[in-house]
Every structure is written in C-alpha cells, then in structure tokens.
C-alpha cells in the first residue's frame, strides 16, 4: 500500500535513470573530435564542436511540461583554485557561440541530445550533472564517474589554435612520433622521439601539471597563457615542475638525458609521484615533453632545433666576447655563450594581444635559461616578430632574437679600461634551424622563417632595429638624420575583390639634399585572426628623392596574382621596408587592407501591404573569374518567424544571379529585409532593404 501511494505521488516526477555519454573510442563522438587515439575510456571532446549523449528517464519526456539542463563543473582536483560552473539549457535550435543542447531523437523513455560547446571554453575535466524539471519538482542526477575532458580544437575555425591544413593537423596534433635534431651545423644528427600524448595517464598528467601552475581555470581557455604556463612547468627551477635540468657529467640518482627516447615515462613518473621532479633533462628532453603536453591538450606544436644558438645574458641583443690587450679571452667578462645546438618548441595560435600579423608559429621554450617576469620560462614569442627585429613585442622576443640572429662582437680592452669593437661576425649565429617535415621523417630547414638571408639589407635592418631596444642601443651607427617619411595610402573605400588592388606608397624628403633608398615590399594574405598565411608577391623598388620632394609611387596587385591565395574573411598586409643610403635611416611601414565584396541588391517590385503577396528581386553579381560552388542564400526579416534558405548551387564566373522571392507581410510599418550569401570562396556578401508595409 505504501509503495502504491509513493508511486502515485511521484509518478509525474521526471527522474534520470541513466546517462550514456557515447564515449567509446570507435563511436561518433570520439571519431568526430579526433580523440579516438587517447587511451582513456572517458569522453574526450574538442571545444567549439557538438557532441551527443543519451539520457534515459523514468517516463517519456514531455517537451511541453518538462525541462532539462546540464550542469558542467570544472573543478580543480589537486588545488584550491576556484572552479567554473556552466549551465547548458535545452533549446529548439542550436546557435553558434553558445552553451546549448537540443533533442534530436526520442525513443520511449530515452532522448538523444546534441550538446554545443564554446570555442573559447576552458579546457580541462568537467563533472556532469543532469538537471530535470517537471511540474512536480526538480531532480539532480550526477553522472560520476562519467566526466568529460575538453581540449583545444585546431579543427574549429573559431578556436585560436585553428590550423587550416589537415596534413599539418595530423602532424602537429595527432602524430605521436617525431624527430629531434642535434649535433652541429656541419654534422646534424636526428633522434626519433615518442611524444606519447595519447598513452595511459598522460592526459591526466597534463591536467595535473596545469593545476601546479596556480593560474585561474578561467585562463585555461587561452592558448597564449596555457603555453606560457607549460614552458614554466616543464622545468623544476622555481615551481617543482616536471624535469630537473642537469648539464654536468654525473647523472647519479636519475636518468641521463641522452637515455630518454620519449615523454610518456617522464610524465607518468611525475604524475604518479604527486609532482616529484623527474631527473634529468637537457634541452631536447624539455622540448620533447613540452610538445607532448601541448599536443595532448590540443595545441599544434613541433620541436625546433637551432644550431649555433646564442645565449644572451646581458640583454644587449649581441653575443659579446671580451679580449684583453693581448687578444686573450677575459673569462669573467664574457658571460654570453653559443650552444652547438638548442631545441625549443613552436606552437600555433592567434595573438590578439599583439599587432596583426603576429599570429601563427610562436616559440615556447621550457629549458631554464633566463628569468621571464620572475619565472624560468620563455614565450610564446611570435616568430614573425623575431624575423623583423620587433623585439618590443611580448613575450621574450629579445632573448629569442639573440639566439638566432645576434652578431658575434669581439671587444678589446684599451689601456684606459674601456672596450672597443675589433671584429664583428654577422653570419655565425642561428644556422640550419630545423624541424621534422610534415608527413615524413625528413628534415625541414625553416631558417627563413626566423630571419632574412644573412647579410641582406632586410636582415641588417632587423638586427639594427632590434639592437635599439637592447642594453647597448648605440651598438650600431645611428642614422645621421631622420628626414624621410613613408606611408601607404588607399584611395576611397579601397579595392574590390576580383579587381586589381591599387595603393600608393608616399615618400617625403624634408631635407635640402638628395636622398636615395631601395625599398622592399612584401604582400601577404592574413586571416581575420591576424595570422599570416603566405606571401602573394614581393619585389624591390629603387627610389630617388630630390630635395624637399614628395613622391607618390603607384603600387598594384593584380587579381591573377592574389586569386588563388584568398582565405575566408581574409585581408592582405603590405609591408614596406628600406634604408636611406645617405643617412642610414630605416624606413618601415605596414598597411592592412581587405578586398571589398559586392552587396546583394534587394528591390521590392510593388508596394508592400499587410496580407498581400509581395515580390522581391534579389540580385548578385559574381565578381570573380572563378566558379562559386554550392552557393546558399539566406533571407530574414519583414516579420518572418524563421530564416528562408535558398540552395542555388553553382554560380559561373562573372555571372549575374537574379532571385524572385514572394513574401506576405504580416505587420505594418517600417521593416527591414535582410539577405546574405553562404559560399566558401566568397564571404561577407550581404544586403538589406528598408520596406514600408502599409496596413490592409
């Protein structure tokens, strides 16, 4: 009788009986999220992407009276840092950029949910609770031990670590075997390294490591902060990190750095030892472990070796060697050193904290060499900033610049105790910078990414620009005058896509003497995130300026030169550099411009009246000499309750499209009708019309 009363009383409560996170390695979730290789049997997903789950209830779910919500908790396991709470509501239609879920299938008492995650969510292990609401009350169903592991997502365009090349994603995220180069520039050796990022306990070890960083979990969403944190945590120098460095001849009580061949045992030993440092590491071991941690967390990463790598201790941005009057080395004055080789990492990410063009590969170095903001870490340092000598950009750009492109300067002591330059070696630092090629075990030389050709005018400009931010700003001859200015000018609203892009380079000589210069220009395609993709065109322009002359040089980029380089929502960055021959003044400027896209022209063909059919003409002209594939038009507004989608198919090159669409206005007054086009090759095409709807 008591059971009978109990059942009547609680019949309408919506109880969760079970939750299936569909976490099998060969299931849809793990395969779609590229996490099927992880040893763990937990659900591992990448942010900014949907995943699916089944929920079984005590009775059939009633969408009219029942409600459902997920509670996700990102709580620290080993520290007292505050966690994160996320509520995921049930909606009818999923929208990008929101934590939401919707029911896509219902079978008796079971529902299948699709859950949408944010591309900027903090990574980590989330605890899941299903919250059910019915007219009789609210119930919580903790899904323990069914946790969800959230990672960075290089496959998601809105994730800062997005990498647009599938072969590179396979190499820099999914490949668990790599090559690390060592030796000398004349005798380059290679060793195979097991990154082991998918092996047992490695993911858990990586998240354990992040907690040691004492950085708020809200910051775990940012790859800039996470990679900087990892560069500090992989060494033990100030935070009981993973590896203890040892550059002596004795490795008693630990493993010789040359004996390691992978990161798995190192990370497992650290994790199972509750954070006890592992002995011992040198640069290639620090780099191998760093690559493992960052790949495991979803940040594209590679190991890079620099031969003849300078260690600048005095921030002079030069490698200084001090000699006495007899040209013998003064050892206590000479603190800078040059390593035969040094290994660090590069990780791929956007840099919204820096000027545009500095996204892409960033140096991340965990080998403890110098303090950076009070901790032994280095990076992320934009490789593009190193190449251009922009050492004022964070993080640790001066140090990395000196490693690859400092001059080796010999100083001799004079009788009065001061020093003078006696020799400068400009070409010896930073040789054969190497990484493993994509998809093969061959060595790829990437020196050109770090610096212009040795001895070129561009390389000298970068060195001298950098030195002015160092501890010896007058190391190189300063310009005798700064009397020439340079700027890039665009007429009107700028060039249209499909047409030649025309800009002007304006030089002004304010002196009473003639000035000559050789300008180098380079135009590159840039994603809207600020990441540079590739060079479209580069060339030199000789310039002669008369006294007091202002000269305007027309600059044109032809459509045929850029047509195969366009990227989604992309822009172009034009960089112009040079040096005035007479004064040694450095000229440098950058200009970012986009190629304007055509509008959709919307035109009502009669008066709009409530309840009366209205015909609207929508016109689009393809500006490209290329076929637009799979074009979709989307129309909304005018009081319509949902978006109208028109699958048009392909649009031939330079073709004009005219759509005739009929609408029945339901509300009088001033209305807007919006239209946009969805096409991979041509983005940001849209239009609107103001339409006054008369009452019946």
């Amino acid at each position: 009788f008591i059971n009978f009363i109990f059942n009547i009383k609680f019949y309408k409560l919506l109880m969760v009986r079970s939750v299936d996170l569909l976490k099998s390695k060969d299931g849809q979730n793990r395969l779609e999220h590229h996490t099927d290789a992880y040893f763990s049997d937990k659900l591992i997903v990448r942010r900014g992407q949907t995943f699916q789950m089944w929920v079984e209830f005590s009775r059939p779910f009633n969408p009219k009276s029942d409600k459902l919500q997920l509670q996700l908790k990102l709580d620290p396991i080993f520290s007292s840092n505050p966690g994160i709470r996320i509520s995921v509501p049930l909606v009818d239609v999923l929208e990008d950029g929101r934590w939401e879920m919707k029911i896509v299938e219902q079978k008796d008492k079971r529902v299948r949910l699709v859950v949408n995650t944010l591309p900027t969510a903090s990574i980590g292990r989330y605890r899941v609770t299903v919250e059910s609401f019915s007219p009789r009350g609210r119930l919580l169903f903790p899904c323990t031990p069914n946790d969800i592991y959230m990672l960075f997502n290089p496959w998601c365009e809105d994730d800062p670590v997005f990498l647009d090349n599938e072969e590179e994603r396979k190499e820099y995220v999914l490949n668990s075997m790599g090559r690390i180069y060592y030796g000398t520039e004349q005798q380059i050796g290679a060793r195979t390294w097991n990154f082991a990022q998918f092996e047992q306990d490695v993911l858990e070890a990586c998240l354990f490591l992040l907690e040691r960083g004492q950085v708020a979990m809200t910051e775990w969403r940012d790859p800039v902060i996470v990679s900087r944190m990892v560069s500090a945590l992989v060494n033990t120098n100030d935070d009981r990190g993973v590896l203890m460095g040892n550059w002596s001849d004795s490795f008693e009580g630990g493993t010789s750095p040359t004996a390691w061949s992978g990161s798995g045992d190192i990370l497992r030993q650290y994790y199972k030892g509750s954070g006890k440092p592992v002995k011992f590491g040198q640069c290639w071991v620090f780099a191998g472990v760093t690559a493992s941690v960052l790949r495991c967390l979803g940040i594209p990463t590679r190991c890079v070796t620099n031969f003849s790598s300078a260690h600048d201790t005095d921030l002079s941005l030069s490698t200084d060697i001090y000699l006495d009057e007899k040209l013998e080395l003064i050892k206590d004055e000479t603190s800078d050193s040059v390593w035969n080789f040094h290994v660090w990492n590069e990780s791929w990410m956007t840099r919204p904290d820096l000027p545009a063009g500095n996204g892409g590969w960033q140096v991340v170095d965990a080998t403890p060499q110098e303090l950076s903001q009070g901790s032994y870490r280095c990076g992320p340092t934009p490789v593009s900033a190193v190449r251009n000598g922009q050492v004022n950009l964070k993080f640790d750009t001066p140090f990395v610049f000196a490693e690859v492109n400092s001059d080796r300067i010999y100083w001799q002591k004079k009788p009065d105790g001061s020093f003078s330059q006696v020799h400068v070696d400009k070409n010896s630092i930073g040789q054969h910078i190497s990484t493993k090629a994509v998809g093969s075990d061959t060595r790829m030389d990437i020196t050109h990414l770090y610096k212009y050709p040795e001895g070129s005018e561009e390389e000298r400009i970068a060195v001298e620009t950098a030195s002015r931010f160092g501890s010896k700003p007058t190391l190189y001859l300063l310009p005798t005058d700064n009397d020439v200015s340079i700027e890039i000018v665009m007429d009107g609203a700028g060039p249209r896509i499909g047409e030649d892009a025309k800009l002007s380079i304006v030089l002004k000589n304010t002196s009473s003497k003639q000035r000559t210069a050789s300008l180098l220009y380079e135009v590159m395609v840039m994603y809207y995130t600020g990441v540079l993709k590739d060079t479209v065109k580069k060339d030199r322009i000789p310039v002669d300026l008369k006294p007091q002359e202002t000269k305007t040089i027309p600059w044109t980029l032809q459509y045929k030169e850029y047509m195969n380089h366009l990227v989604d929502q992309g822009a172009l960055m034009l960089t112009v550099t040079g040096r005035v021959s007479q004064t040694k003044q450095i000229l440098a400027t950058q200009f970012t411009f986009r190629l304007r896209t055509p509008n959709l022209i919307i035109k009502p063909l009669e008066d709009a009246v409530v309840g009366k059919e209205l015909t609207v003409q929508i016109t689009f002209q393809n500006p490209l000499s290329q076929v637009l594939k799979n074009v979709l038009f989307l129309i909304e507004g005018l009081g319509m309750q949902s978006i109208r989608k028109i699958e048009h198919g392909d649009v031939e090159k330079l073709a004009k499209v005219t759509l005739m669409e009929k609408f029945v206005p339901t509300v009088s007054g001033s209305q807007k009708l919006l239209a946009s086009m969805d096409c991979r090759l041509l983005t940001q095409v849209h239009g609107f019309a103001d339409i006054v709807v008369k009452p019946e």
Side-chain angles (χ1 to χ4, degrees):
F1 178 77
I2 291 172
N3 280 344
F4 175 73
I5 295 295
F6 179 88
N7 285 336
I8 290 176
K9 186 173 182 181
F10 287 93
Y11 173 73
K12 289 193 175 178
L13 267 174
L14 184 67
M15 299 185 195
V16 175
R17 296 285 190 213
S18 67
V19 172
D20 183 357
L21 290 179
L22 303 172
K23 56 190 182 180
S24 69
K25 294 179 187 180
D26 56 356
Q28 184 179 354
N29 280 338
R30 297 275 295 261
L31 288 172
E32 287 184 352
H33 287 255
H34 306 93
T35 60
D36 50 302
Y38 285 86
F39 178 88
S40 171
D41 60 0
K42 302 289 187 184
L43 177 58
I44 304 169
V45 298
R46 298 189 187 275
R47 64 186 193 174
Q49 202 171 328
T50 60
F51 66 88
Q52 301 194 16
M53 58 188 283
W54 281 96
V55 179
E56 183 180 9
F57 299 106
S58 55
R59 59 170 175 77
F61 182 84
N62 184 346
K64 292 182 179 176
S65 58
D66 297 330
K67 290 190 175 125
L68 200 60
Q69 190 166 268
L70 282 188
Q71 297 290 348
L72 301 180
K73 297 179 182 178
L74 181 61
D75 280 325
I77 304 166
F78 306 102
S79 69
S80 57
N81 281 355
I84 294 172
R85 303 286 182 273
I86 296 164
S87 294
V88 185
L90 186 67
V91 297
D92 294 328
V93 180
L94 294 179
E95 289 186 38
D96 289 341
R98 295 172 183 263
W99 283 101
E100 292 175 340
M101 62 181 181
K102 65 177 282 192
I103 294 173
V104 291
E105 187 179 353
Q106 188 161 355
K107 285 185 178 177
D108 192 26
K109 298 176 184 179
R110 300 171 73 224
V111 296
R112 183 161 59 96
L113 298 166
V114 170
V115 183
N116 201 33
T117 64
L118 282 188
T120 53
S122 287
I123 63 165
R125 191 183 85 169
Y126 286 83
R127 298 188 182 279
V128 186
T129 300
V130 180
E131 203 169 356
S132 60
F133 303 83
S134 66
R136 297 301 295 266
R138 164 178 168 262
L139 290 173
L140 297 175
F141 182 84
C143 298
T144 310
N146 288 324
D147 301 325
I148 295 174
Y149 287 81
M150 186 87 67
L151 307 177
F152 290 107
N153 193 351
W155 285 264
C156 172
E157 291 187 12
D158 294 319
D159 193 309
V161 302
F162 171 65
L163 189 58
D164 76 339
N165 184 299
E166 177 61 18
E167 293 308 307
E168 291 182 357
R169 289 190 289 247
K170 287 178 182 174
E171 181 67 56
Y172 300 134
V173 183
L174 300 181
N175 195 353
S176 60
M177 288 288 171
R179 301 276 273 178
I180 297 178
Y181 299 94
Y182 64 94
T184 69
E185 60 186 275
Q186 304 296 333
Q187 297 168 297
I188 297 176
R191 62 182 301 157
T192 301
W193 191 267
N194 178 16
F195 295 119
Q197 70 265 40
F198 305 125
E199 288 184 7
Q200 185 173 5
D201 294 327
V202 169
L203 176 55
E204 290 79 1
C206 293
L207 295 177
F208 167 70
L209 183 63
L210 290 190
E211 283 196 34
R212 310 279 289 189
Q214 299 297 308
V215 171
M217 288 183 136
T218 52
E219 305 290 358
W220 289 20
R221 68 185 187 277
D222 186 347
V224 174
I225 292 173
V226 169
S227 60
R228 185 157 174 78
M229 187 161 52
V230 169
S231 83
L233 291 167
V234 167
N235 68 70
T236 64
N237 281 43
D238 39 34
D239 43 27
R240 284 180 60 79
V242 178
L243 270 167
M244 183 179 293
N246 183 345
W247 285 267
S248 72
D249 295 327
S250 171
F251 302 108
E252 285 183 31
T255 301
S256 165
T258 55
W260 298 112
S261 58
S263 310
D265 283 347
I266 295 170
L267 287 165
R268 277 188 290 271
Q269 194 176 319
Y270 180 73
Y271 176 52
K272 291 179 177 177
S274 300
K276 183 180 178 183
V278 177
K279 301 174 181 177
F280 293 102
Q282 290 183 9
C283 67
W284 65 92
V285 190
F286 288 113
V289 172
T290 300
S292 301
V293 173
L294 295 176
R295 284 189 187 185
C296 182
L297 298 176
I299 300 176
T301 302
R302 61 191 186 185
C303 291
V304 171
T305 302
N306 178 39
F307 293 93
S308 292
S309 186
H311 181 170
D312 176 26
T313 58
D314 62 359
L315 299 178
S316 65
L317 297 170
S318 57
T319 303
D320 299 301
I321 298 155
Y322 293 92
L323 310 171
D324 62 18
E325 292 92 333
K326 298 177 182 177
L327 296 179
E328 292 182 4
L329 186 69
I330 307 175
K331 291 180 181 174
D332 57 354
E333 285 275 3
T334 303
S335 56
D336 291 350
S337 59
V338 178
W339 299 23
N340 284 344
F341 71 96
H342 180 45
V343 188
W344 59 67
N345 301 94
E346 287 177 0
S347 293
W348 182 272
M349 65 193 73
T350 63
R351 289 300 300 269
D353 55 326
L354 296 179
N358 287 292
W361 289 118
Q362 313 286 316
V363 172
V364 178
D365 190 351
T367 300
Q369 295 180 86
E370 297 291 333
L371 288 169
S372 171
Q373 295 178 325
S375 183
Y376 280 95
R377 57 188 168 185
C378 181
T381 308
V383 173
S384 59
V386 173
R387 187 175 190 243
N388 292 313
Q390 295 173 299
V391 297
N392 54 319
L393 299 180
K394 63 186 181 182
F395 292 95
D396 309 307
T397 318
F399 187 79
V400 178
F401 181 89
E403 287 182 301
V404 300
N405 205 14
S406 54
D407 286 348
R408 204 187 298 227
I409 301 181
Y410 294 80
W411 302 82
Q412 185 178 21
K413 196 169 191 177
K414 295 196 290 189
D416 63 0
S418 65
F419 286 88
S420 63
Q421 285 187 38
V422 291
H423 179 66
V424 179
D425 185 351
K426 299 178 179 180
N427 304 329
S428 65
I429 301 298
Q431 302 293 313
H432 300 303
I433 303 174
S434 302
T435 191
K436 177 187 173 298
V438 173
S440 81
D441 282 341
T442 57
R443 183 180 69 86
M444 181 167 68
D445 194 302
I446 56 170
T447 309
H448 64 284
L449 298 180
Y450 282 85
K451 54 184 179 178
Y452 294 98
E454 289 286 8
S456 67
E457 184 73 354
E458 299 79 49
E459 187 262 348
R460 287 291 89 199
I461 287 173
V463 170
E464 294 179 29
T465 299
S467 75
R468 288 171 197 172
F469 293 95
S471 60
K472 297 178 181 175
T474 58
L475 190 58
Y476 299 95
L477 287 174
L478 295 174
T480 55
D481 223 327
N482 289 302
D483 48 29
V484 176
S485 64
I486 183 171
E487 67 172 328
I488 298 168
V489 177
M490 180 175 71
D491 288 337
R496 290 182 177 276
I497 195 165
E499 300 174 1
D500 293 350
K502 296 182 179 180
L503 304 174
S504 298
I505 302 169
V506 180
L507 293 125
K508 191 178 291 185
N509 177 12
T510 60
S511 79
S512 57
K513 297 179 180 176
Q514 183 164 346
R515 297 288 183 244
T516 56
S518 177
L519 300 180
L520 174 83
Y521 72 78
E522 182 173 19
V523 62
M524 301 184 78
V525 173
M526 185 171 71
Y527 293 96
Y528 77 96
T529 55
V531 175
L532 294 171
K533 184 173 187 287
D534 51 28
T535 297
V536 178
K537 183 182 180 183
K538 64 190 294 186
D539 206 348
R540 289 189 173 279
I541 305 172
V543 177
D544 250 323
L545 292 170
K546 297 172 186 170
Q548 303 293 329
E549 182 185 10
T550 298
K551 180 171 279 188
T552 300
I553 302 170
W555 181 87
T556 301
L557 179 66
Q558 296 178 1
Y559 169 62
K560 66 181 181 184
E561 293 173 317
Y562 71 73
M563 62 181 281
N564 294 322
H565 295 273
L566 296 175
V567 294
D568 189 15
Q569 297 189 55
L572 293 160
M573 176 182 277
L574 174 61
T575 301
V576 182
T577 57
R579 191 201 299 262
V580 179
S581 303
Q582 293 82 358
T583 63
K584 305 306 177 191
Q585 177 191 350
I586 291 171
L587 305 173
T589 186
Q590 285 185 321
F591 187 79
T592 301
F593 62 99
R594 69 180 183 88
L595 299 160
R596 291 190 299 130
T597 48
N599 291 325
L600 297 180
I601 308 301
I602 304 173
K603 182 181 177 184
L605 298 184
E606 60 247 340
D607 288 345
V609 180
V610 171
K612 184 182 174 185
E613 194 171 71
L614 168 68
T615 303
V616 174
Q617 177 181 289
I618 302 170
T619 310
F620 164 68
Q621 177 84 48
N622 179 6
L624 303 182
S625 300
Q626 293 164 275
V627 177
L628 303 180
K629 299 280 190 183
N630 305 317
V631 171
L632 175 71
F633 292 97
L634 302 96
I635 306 169
E636 62 180 303
L638 206 63
M640 291 190 292
Q641 297 307 300
S642 61
I643 294 175
R644 183 180 299 185
K645 296 182 179 179
I646 303 161
E647 294 182 4
H648 183 79
D650 295 351
V651 177
E652 292 301 314
K653 55 187 178 183
L654 303 175
K656 186 175 184 180
V657 173
T658 301
L659 304 176
M660 293 292 189
E661 291 295 310
K662 297 185 182 297
F663 304 90
V664 179
T666 57
V667 182
S668 62
S670 182
Q671 307 279 345
K672 275 186 166 57
L673 186 66
L674 315 179
S676 62
M677 189 180 86
D678 186 354
C679 172
R680 188 74 187 170
L681 191 61
L682 187 63
T683 59
Q684 297 286 17
V685 176
H686 45 78
F688 75 94
D690 286 308
I691 299 175
V692 177
V693 181
K694 298 175 182 177
E696 292 182 73

